[in-house]
């Protein structure tokens, strides 16, 4: 049973527009969420994170929103740039800290079109 | 500072053989986690080591094992390889077990079992 779901396998967005990537989770013990970006043949690169005590975290063009009651988070990229084309993974961590590992979604392939 | 280093980058093995993968974490990081990435299952947590102790293990058979050395370097071993073990194996390091500590990934080892 998938505890972290990214229901859109791919997303195409025009350059300069907003990209919104969505993630849903089922485990209410998750209280820390992360987004990773992955290029082919490379390991995931950490982008941004959010703790469950917050509902928004912003870092430059990237903003993550968390809706705990809906068990939903989203990553907004504004404005989208060609270099943003990659696979984006949502990940969650439980109250055990790093010990219980990260649970990942299956990823969303973001394609930025010129 | 140097990132997470995984060796080798690529490996081809035959069914029934065993394989050892190596991971050198970022200097000062004491936690090392291993993940398996396959097209169908996405990124799945294998196990996590902290100060030479395995703290948690994902849902993988006993053929998958690991260890961590006093310098925090870690190895992962897979015995009696099966075709389904073909995957990208990723190692991630983080500072400690504290909640919210981001994990930094290496480039991975691409294992092909023939």
């Amino acid at each position: 049973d998938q505890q972290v779901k990214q229901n859109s396998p791919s997303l195409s967005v025009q350059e300069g527009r907003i990209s919104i990537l969505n993630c849903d989770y089922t485990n209410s013990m998750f209280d820390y969420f992360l987004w990773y970006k992955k290029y082919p043949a490379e390991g995931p690169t950490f982008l941004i994170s959010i703790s469950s005590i917050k509902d928004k975290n912003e870092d430059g063009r990237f903003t993550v929103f968390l809706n705990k009651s809906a068990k939903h988070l989203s990553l907004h990229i504004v404005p989208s740039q060609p270099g943003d084309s990659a696979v984006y993974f949502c990940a969650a961590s439980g109250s055990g800290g790093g010990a219980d590992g990260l649970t990942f979604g299956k990823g969303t392939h973001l394609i930025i079109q010129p | 500072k140097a990132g997470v280093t995984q060796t080798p980058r690529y490996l081809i093995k035959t069914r029934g053989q065993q394989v050892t993968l190596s991971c050198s974490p970022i200097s000062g990081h004491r936690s090392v986690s291993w993940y398996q990435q396959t097209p169908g299952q996405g990124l799945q947590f294998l196990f996590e080591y902290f100060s030479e102790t395995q703290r948690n293990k994902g849902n993988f058979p006993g053929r998958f094992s690991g260890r961590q050395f006093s310098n925090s370097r870690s190895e992962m071993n897979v015995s009696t390889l099966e075709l389904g073990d073909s995957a990208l194996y990723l190692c991630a390091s983080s500072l400690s077990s504290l909640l919210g500590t981001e994990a930094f990934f290496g480039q991975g080892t691409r294992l092909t079992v023939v």
Side-chain angles (χ1 to χ4, degrees), chain B residues 9-20:
Chain B
R9 288 292 310 279
Y10 302 93
L11 206 47
I12 300 175
K13 288 285 188 179
T14 305
R15 265 184 306 175
Q17 285 187 311
Q18 68 101 24
V19 67
T20 300

Side-chain angles (χ1 to χ4, degrees), chain A residues 24-82:
Chain A
D24 296 295
Y25 62 96
T26 57
N27 189 339
S28 56
M29 295 300 290
F30 288 146
D31 53 9
Y32 196 75
F33 305 90
L34 308 91
W35 284 94
Y36 284 84
K37 174 180 177 179
K38 188 179 185 297
Y39 294 117
E42 292 185 12
T45 303
F46 169 74
L47 265 178
I48 191 168
S49 62
I50 188 166
S51 163
S52 60
I53 62 173
K54 293 185 174 183
D55 55 18
K56 178 183 173 182
N57 189 25
E58 197 171 349
D59 184 2
R61 296 187 299 116
F62 303 92
T63 304
V64 56
F65 296 92
L66 175 63
N67 182 334
K68 277 190 70 178
S69 60
K71 293 192 177 70
H72 176 83
L73 63 154
S74 61
L75 174 68
H76 293 212
I77 306 173
V78 182
S80 300
Q81 298 175 353

Side-chain angles (χ1 to χ4, degrees), chain B residues 12-55:
Chain B
I12 300 175
K13 288 285 188 179
T14 305
R15 265 184 306 175
Q17 285 187 311
Q18 68 101 24
V19 67
T20 300
L21 312 181
S22 180
C23 172
S24 293
I26 292 171
S27 178
H29 284 195
R30 295 168 64 190
S31 170
V32 174
S33 303
W34 288 88
Y35 293 82
Q36 181 196 63
Q37 185 184 17
T38 57
Q41 297 299 320
L43 273 153
Q44 292 187 290
F45 173 68
L46 278 155
F47 29 65
E48 190 254 359
Y49 286 86
F50 182 82
S51 294
E52 302 178 65
T53 301
Q54 184 184 91
R55 293 192 301 181

